[in-house]
Amino acid sequence: MKSAFKKLPAKKHDLDIGLLFAVTLCAVLGTLLIYSIASSKISASEGIGDSYWKTQLVSMILGLGSAIIISFIDYRKLVKLWWIFVPIALGLVALTFTSLGITRAGADDRAWIRIFGVSMQPSEVMKIVFILTFSYHLSRDEEDMNKPLHMLLLLLHGIIPVGIVAVQGDYGTAIVFAAIFGFMMISANISWKYLAAAPFIMAGGVAFMWFNFLSNFHKERILILFHPGTDPENIEYQQDLGLRAMQSGGVFGKGLFASENEYIYVPELHNDFIFAHAGQVFGFVGSVGILIILAYICLKVFADSRITRDRLGRFICMGAFGLLFTHCLMNVGMVLKVAPVIGVPLPFISGGGTAMVSMYAIIGLVLSTYAYRAKNYNVFYDEDDE
């Protein structure tokens, strides 16, 4: 009888193999695509050498390891360390406004830092911290969130990262933060009155950004989408090349190692426009295949949000879903010329070590909610009583 009161054996760690396999498949494909660029004549125009695909490979390995490690850490304990994560994230972002801040080649924002010869984008770290802290905030405040003061504090929590990256000039990342905030709020117990007011608030925010922050160049990038072919300053040049590259791949593509004169050069082909290179390498069939894998990742994260053990886990998954979905939508839309060029990478595929590791870390948080979703019960013991 005494043994009936003993704690049940810890359950075996339950890893979401399907999700982890899908993101790693994308990471492998991205590394192969960057290797393809480095091995072609495009590398001379882009300045893409072997160091790029090697960095991507190392980042993939580090990211995969971090995701697995994070999956073993109970997310409920992890969020309580926010007082450590927040100063680190804000400190790194603050460095972009010092002499350590740099503007990466091909970009028009000052959103990177270089420390000891290594470049990184602090906003990628801030994405992880924001998902953690805002999930914690929502989970503790959901019952009262529709009260004006509580809603004001939630809005302030969301506006801070959006404002910081907007001041950096990184408007693409600002939109991503706003989308993460929006998806997480919608998944909470928010009143329909706030949802009804949201479109008007968004319109006001867009107008404020348009008249106070966006340069004429950024405005023209947006306006040209409504009047294609009327571009005296050739702002469409990059997107037109991207479409040509995709179309040149035909149905089945030219292959990863086509002859050196077959690939079409597109600025930032290894990064923001890597989906265009996927089109010329893998063709229409391969491009659709990549979209299917990315759709599976997004839907799997969303599905995991429905089986978490508590609302904290649900908000973490919805934050990750908002991040991944927005990145995919904006990047592919950018390449297909239905969205402006605003420098948002394709998750796990675009070049960039910081983005790769941070994306994997966010997947690690989702894996943690999946692993700790179930409870161990017996008649006399509930593990929540610990």
Side-chain angles (χ1 to χ4, degrees):
M1 185 69 180
K2 183 179 178 180
S3 61
F5 292 90
K6 289 182 178 179
K7 183 178 178 179
L8 290 174
K11 78 179 179 66
K12 185 179 179 181
H13 185 69
D14 194 3
L15 194 63
D16 191 342
I17 297 296
L19 177 59
L20 193 60
F21 175 80
V23 299
T24 302
L25 177 59
C26 284
V28 170
L29 288 173
T31 304
L32 288 174
L33 287 169
I34 296 173
Y35 180 78
S36 171
I37 295 170
S39 303
S40 70
K41 72 164 188 173
I42 297 176
S43 61
S45 302
E46 284 267 276
I48 306 301
D50 288 341
S51 63
Y52 280 78
W53 71 262
K54 290 177 181 178
T55 297
Q56 196 76 353
L57 179 61
V58 171
S59 299
M60 179 186 70
I61 295 171
L62 291 175
L64 178 60
S66 67
I68 294 174
I69 291 171
I70 293 172
S71 76
F72 279 90
I73 304 173
D74 190 335
Y75 63 93
R76 294 166 297 176
K77 297 177 180 177
L78 197 59
V79 296
K80 293 180 180 179
L81 298 177
W82 64 267
W83 54 276
I84 297 177
F85 302 141
V86 170
I88 293 175
L90 292 178
L92 289 173
V93 172
L95 291 177
T96 62
F97 299 100
T98 70
S99 59
L100 294 175
I102 58 174
T103 299
R104 188 176 59 84
D108 53 7
D109 51 24
R110 190 179 177 87
W112 293 71
I113 59 174
R114 180 175 288 117
I115 302 177
F116 302 119
V118 178
S119 299
M120 68 170 296
Q121 190 173 11
S123 60
E124 294 295 334
V125 178
M126 194 159 65
K127 288 175 185 175
I128 306 170
V129 174
F130 177 67
I131 289 175
L132 279 173
T133 57
F134 196 60
S135 296
Y136 192 43
H137 189 167
L138 267 179
S139 66
R140 293 175 62 89
D141 221 24
E142 187 178 20
E143 300 301 327
D144 298 313
M145 66 178 294
N146 292 309
K147 296 177 181 178
L149 179 59
H150 292 264
M151 180 58 67
L152 181 62
L153 291 174
L154 288 169
L155 289 173
L156 182 62
H157 195 153
I159 288 171
I160 289 173
V162 174
I164 289 174
V165 295
V167 171
Q168 289 179 330
D170 190 355
Y171 302 120
T173 301
I175 293 173
V176 171
F177 272 110
I180 295 171
F181 172 81
F183 276 103
M184 293 175 74
M185 289 290 282
I186 291 172
S187 68
N189 187 31
I190 187 171
S191 169
W192 66 268
K193 296 178 182 179
Y194 290 112
L195 291 176
F200 301 99
I201 296 173
M202 291 172 60
V206 170
F208 179 77
M209 291 290 295
W210 184 270
F211 292 109
N212 295 280
F213 284 93
L214 296 186
S215 65
N216 288 333
F217 180 71
H218 287 109
K219 293 177 182 178
E220 289 168 359
R221 275 183 171 180
I222 298 171
L223 293 174
I224 199 65
L225 296 173
F226 301 97
H227 306 284
T230 59
D231 180 16
E233 298 184 19
N234 212 18
I235 294 173
E236 296 174 279
Y237 173 72
Q238 187 179 17
Q239 289 178 298
D240 287 341
L241 282 178
L243 286 175
R244 281 179 52 201
M246 290 204 70
Q247 293 167 355
S248 71
V251 178
F252 298 107
K254 304 171 183 178
L256 279 167
F257 307 106
S259 61
E260 65 176 17
N261 295 318
E262 287 191 50
Y263 292 142
I264 295 176
Y265 164 74
V266 183
E268 295 300 306
L269 189 61
H270 71 293
N271 193 356
D272 297 339
F273 274 75
I274 199 164
F275 190 63
H277 189 53
Q280 61 181 340
V281 166
F282 299 128
F284 175 78
V285 173
S287 299
V288 171
I290 289 175
L291 291 179
I292 290 173
I293 298 170
L294 290 170
Y296 169 82
I297 293 170
C298 291
L299 292 174
K300 189 68 175 70
V301 172
F302 181 82
D304 285 352
S305 75
R306 315 310 298 172
I307 60 173
T308 58
R309 70 182 302 158
D310 55 20
R311 54 193 176 189
L312 173 61
R314 181 175 82 245
F315 295 141
I316 288 174
C317 288
M318 286 305 298
F321 171 79
L323 169 73
L324 294 167
F325 177 77
T326 306
H327 266 268
C328 292
L329 186 68
M330 292 175 65
N331 181 273
V332 174
M334 195 167 60
V335 175
L336 297 181
K337 205 176 177 180
V338 295
V341 178
I342 48 178
V344 175
L346 193 61
F348 303 103
I349 298 178
S350 291
T354 311
M356 176 71 78
V357 176
S358 69
M359 287 283 183
Y360 259 115
I362 290 168
I363 290 297
L365 295 175
V366 176
L367 295 176
S368 176
T369 69
Y370 183 87
Y372 288 93
R373 73 192 185 282
K375 299 178 182 180
N376 287 332
Y377 289 109
N378 71 15
V379 177
F380 302 100
Y381 176 80
D382 178 355
E383 68 176 8
D384 285 347
D385 292 335
E386 289 186 299

